Amino acid sequence: MADVSIIGAGVAGLCAAYALSKAGLTPRLIDRKGAPGPHGCSWWAGGMLAPFCEGAVAEPAIVAHGQAAAAFWAEVTQVAHRGSLVVALQRDQGELERFARRTSGHRMTDDLATLEPDLTQHRSALFFETEAHLDPRRALADLVHVLAERGIEIEQAETTPEDIVGPVIDARGMASALPDLRGVRGEMVVLRASDITLSRPVRLLHPRHPLYIVPRPGGVFMLGATQLESSDRRGISARAVLELLSAAYALDPRFAEAELLETGADLRPAFPDNVPRVTVRGRVLHLNGLFRHGYLMAPALAAQAVAYLTKGIKGDLLHET
Amino acid sequence: MRDFYGVTLETPLMLGTAQYPSPAVLEAAFCQSGASVATVSLRREGGQGQGFWKIIKGLDVHVLPNTAGCHSAREAITTARMARELFETNWIKLEVIGHADTLQPDPFGLLEATEALVADGFEVFPYTTEDQVLAGRLLEAGAKVLMPWGAPIGSGLGLNNRYGLKTLRAAFPDVPMVIDAGLGLPSHAADALEMGFDAVLLNTAVAQAGDPAAMARAFALAVQAGVLANTADPMAPRDMATPSTPVIGKAWL
């Protein structure tokens, strides 16, 4: 007999299952499509664990909680503790100074060639040494594997909290249709450029087309990501491809020769402040609104849900209705 | 204040809704700005953006849809029609971009689209340069409001051509005019209103500030100062220094 039923096996549901299991509870995990895949927005993430960079625009809660994410993920999957870099083109150096003013946990380096020998076009950069990154699809698979070892399998079934008796964690993202939850469209491109080597994520600040590039194993790079206030679920737009590829080309012209492997577009569920919430509605806890911080914030969200269920502790991400 | 197609605004401030860190920050900025009008872009944020649209409606200000990102008259006309349907208003801020890098208006496409949209019952707010001849043609085409630029969109440079803007203001003293684009600081907004423009429209200066709500408040105070200064009949600049305290009668020590 399960203590808690979790609906939704995306990054939020999986992290909740793992946290509950570690707390000594027996969760049941249900998803309408079964194991994680292209149907869920967790599939399309960048995998940057960059709380300090995010602090340039995100609320302080993201910076504070996000710092614990890398340690959480390192328990279940491979995490690259290589830091992250922020660069700007020559004419946008002002953007770099502004980014530095608005973030912490970085140092300006004028010796980029030592850190990333391939970024020859740029001399100076902001280096966020304590940040990390992971491969999201591998992280999901590894977490599913770890859960299986703990006796938790994903049941494939279409269900809602009303169908289930006892405590429920609703981690269905957009499907849960919470009030104030909106979709923010994101689009990304995956490339293979075997002649380019980057060992850490690089953000290019640009007044019109900001870009981040996350290296994956095997010379593969994820380019992300647009951010549109739209619930349009169609495939990536030609404009987004143009913008992402142009920005990558500006970062390193060799990206022009890369092999285009994949494009993707999906919706990030978000609340008005773009901070995720544990929303308590009677016996149902909604873990939602992870926005662009799925891998960064799901561990904290899961921890607060478990603390509430086991000890009645109300954390700062908890909202009662 | 002059009216904009029959609507008298409570404050001479129009604020864009793009590029904020979050809708919550956008809402706080609007609150602090006292803005009377919110501009919304249909091309990238309309259509399927019901969640965002609900937030804009909740601001309880006039909505001015725009045709941002349109590069031809035809594209702008289509976008304007979609905007009218979605936002249920005849108001349209007409942008026809002529150059991808500077984002400066295409005067020919702008005139063509203004004529077509006025004929179709729209109340057009054309985003234009300070060019007086073009302004006259836009008015002839049926526009009753003009939106001359301060500087290129998003540049934050302020009023790039004060002489041109002053001449434009003087040439059409009765036409409501909004300085749109290029404002980076509250002092730029105050400058525009001191010169006799009727309102200002800005977005990036507030949305991309480190503290958007505080910057919004600063703009609210600046436009207030600008209007007051303009109605107070400012002094004319002089070449010669004039002592403000008369010397005659001063005690000899």
Side-chain angles (χ1 to χ4, degrees):
Chain A
M1 177 67 194
D3 299 311
V4 182
S5 304
I6 303 168
I7 315 176
V11 70
L14 292 170
C15 285
Y18 180 64
L20 284 167
S21 173
K22 277 186 60 171
L25 297 176
T26 308
R28 180 183 169 209
L29 189 51
I30 309 156
D31 190 283
R32 63 178 171 183
K33 293 271 177 75
H39 52 270
C41 64
S42 307
W43 193 254
W44 303 105
M48 288 186 294
L49 304 174
F52 295 105
C53 282
E54 291 300 314
V57 285
E59 296 290 330
I62 306 294
V63 184
H65 291 297
Q67 290 175 54
F72 173 98
W73 286 108
E75 285 181 23
V76 295
T77 190
Q78 197 179 324
V79 175
H81 296 273
R82 304 277 303 163
S84 53
L85 286 167
V86 179
V87 298
L89 302 180
Q90 203 56 47
R91 70 170 190 186
D92 304 323
Q93 285 304 305
E95 304 283 329
L96 199 60
E97 285 156 30
R98 204 167 61 134
F99 197 89
R101 280 202 305 277
R102 289 179 184 184
T103 52
S104 56
H106 57 69
R107 63 181 166 86
M108 188 70 89
T109 170
D110 288 323
D111 188 19
L112 192 51
T114 310
L115 279 173
E116 294 288 351
D118 267 22
L119 284 180
T120 49
Q121 304 244 319
H122 310 268
R123 228 182 37 239
S124 52
L126 284 175
F127 184 33
F128 292 77
E129 203 161 359
T130 61
E131 295 187 335
H133 69 281
L134 50 73
D135 178 349
R137 295 177 189 174
R138 177 164 175 194
L140 291 172
D142 287 346
L143 189 46
V144 168
H145 180 74
V146 168
L147 288 173
E149 283 176 348
R150 290 175 164 265
I152 305 157
E153 301 284 348
I154 302 168
E155 301 168 36
Q156 186 175 353
E158 181 92 52
T159 186
T160 65
E162 292 74 42
D163 303 332
I164 297 169
V165 186
V168 174
I169 286 180
D170 182 342
R172 289 178 294 160
M174 291 305 298
S176 74
L178 284 171
D180 286 344
L181 193 72
R182 73 189 198 288
V184 181
R185 179 175 160 91
E187 296 150 300
M188 53 99 96
V189 166
V190 181
L191 301 174
R192 182 182 286 119
S194 309
D195 52 342
I196 302 177
T197 307
L198 293 177
S199 63
R200 47 179 73 78
V202 178
R203 289 177 195 234
L204 176 68
L205 303 179
H206 188 284
R208 276 192 230 167
H209 313 306
L211 167 86
Y212 58 76
I213 296 188
V214 191
R216 301 263 164 84
V220 173
F221 297 90
M222 181 269 188
L223 273 52
T226 61
Q227 194 168 304
L228 305 174
E229 289 290 349
S230 167
S231 306
D232 190 341
R233 283 203 120 114
R234 285 174 301 174
I236 191 167
S237 70
R239 177 206 290 266
V241 176
L242 280 167
E243 288 176 358
L244 291 171
L245 294 183
S246 303
Y249 179 70
L251 187 77
D252 188 328
R254 287 175 298 171
F255 275 114
E257 307 306 323
E259 177 189 0
L260 192 57
L261 296 179
E262 191 182 3
T263 65
D266 208 342
L267 303 183
R268 314 170 175 101
F271 290 111
D273 57 1
N274 292 344
V275 176
R277 296 177 186 174
V278 178
T279 310
V280 183
R281 285 174 153 183
R283 65 184 173 86
V284 182
L285 262 59
H286 295 268
L287 272 56
N288 216 323
L290 281 148
F291 185 51
R292 49 183 279 166
H293 304 128
Y295 292 79
L296 190 64
M297 290 297 287
L301 209 57
Q304 294 208 0
V306 170
Y308 179 77
L309 286 172
T310 57
K311 299 183 190 125
I313 296 170
K314 295 170 187 173
D316 62 327
L317 303 174
L318 197 104
H319 291 242
E320 288 174 296
T321 52
Chain B
M1 203 193 320
R2 268 179 278 244
D3 72 32
F4 298 88
Y5 292 103
V7 175
T8 308
L9 303 179
E10 279 180 36
T11 61
L13 186 58
M14 306 183 177
L15 203 53
T17 54
Q19 304 174 27
Y20 291 82
S22 72
V25 175
L26 178 151
E27 214 172 341
F30 262 82
C31 231
Q32 289 296 316
S33 73
S36 301
V37 173
T39 60
V40 285
S41 145
L42 176 78
R43 279 178 65 80
R44 307 211 70 185
E45 281 151 13
Q48 302 287 313
Q50 288 92 345
F52 190 67
W53 176 221
K54 212 174 94 187
I55 291 161
I56 303 296
K57 269 192 191 161
L59 298 173
D60 201 26
V61 294
H62 298 282
V63 170
L64 175 59
N66 66 35
T67 61
C70 291
H71 285 258
S72 71
R74 182 191 284 200
E75 205 184 344
I77 292 164
T78 310
T79 305
R81 288 187 177 136
M82 282 160 66
R84 176 158 67 181
E85 212 159 287
L86 192 75
F87 301 118
E88 294 168 336
T89 173
N90 284 326
W91 280 14
I92 189 77
K93 187 197 136 184
L94 185 59
E95 263 184 60
V96 182
I97 299 302
H99 192 274
D101 204 32
T102 63
L103 300 179
Q104 70 189 80
D106 167 7
F108 309 99
L110 184 64
L111 185 61
E112 185 190 336
T114 300
E115 280 167 354
L117 290 172
V118 168
D120 197 9
F122 280 91
E123 295 170 331
V124 181
F125 295 63
Y127 166 62
T128 180
T129 64
E130 68 276 18
D131 189 295
Q132 214 185 113
V133 179
L134 174 59
R137 296 289 299 272
L138 290 168
L139 295 170
E140 273 171 36
K144 292 190 167 55
V145 174
L146 293 177
M147 292 190 129
W149 65 352
I153 297 171
S155 66
L157 292 170
L159 306 182
N160 246 358
N161 180 357
R162 297 185 87 257
Y163 166 76
L165 288 169
K166 226 170 159 174
T167 314
L168 182 68
R169 177 70 284 180
F172 305 101
D174 299 324
V175 175
M177 284 193 214
V178 186
I179 294 291
D180 173 17
L183 303 187
L185 289 169
S187 51
H188 299 154
D191 195 8
L193 290 157
E194 284 163 12
M195 284 168 68
F197 287 97
D198 301 286
V200 290
L201 166 53
L202 51 116
N203 187 346
T204 314
V206 167
Q208 302 271 294
D211 184 343
M215 191 57 89
R217 174 94 182 114
F219 271 99
L221 296 170
V223 297
Q224 212 182 335
V227 169
L228 262 178
N230 178 256
T231 51
D233 190 13
M235 67 173 283
R238 294 174 183 141
D239 285 341
M240 214 186 111
T242 316
S244 48
T245 313
V247 184
I248 295 168
K250 198 177 175 190
W252 285 25
L253 296 169

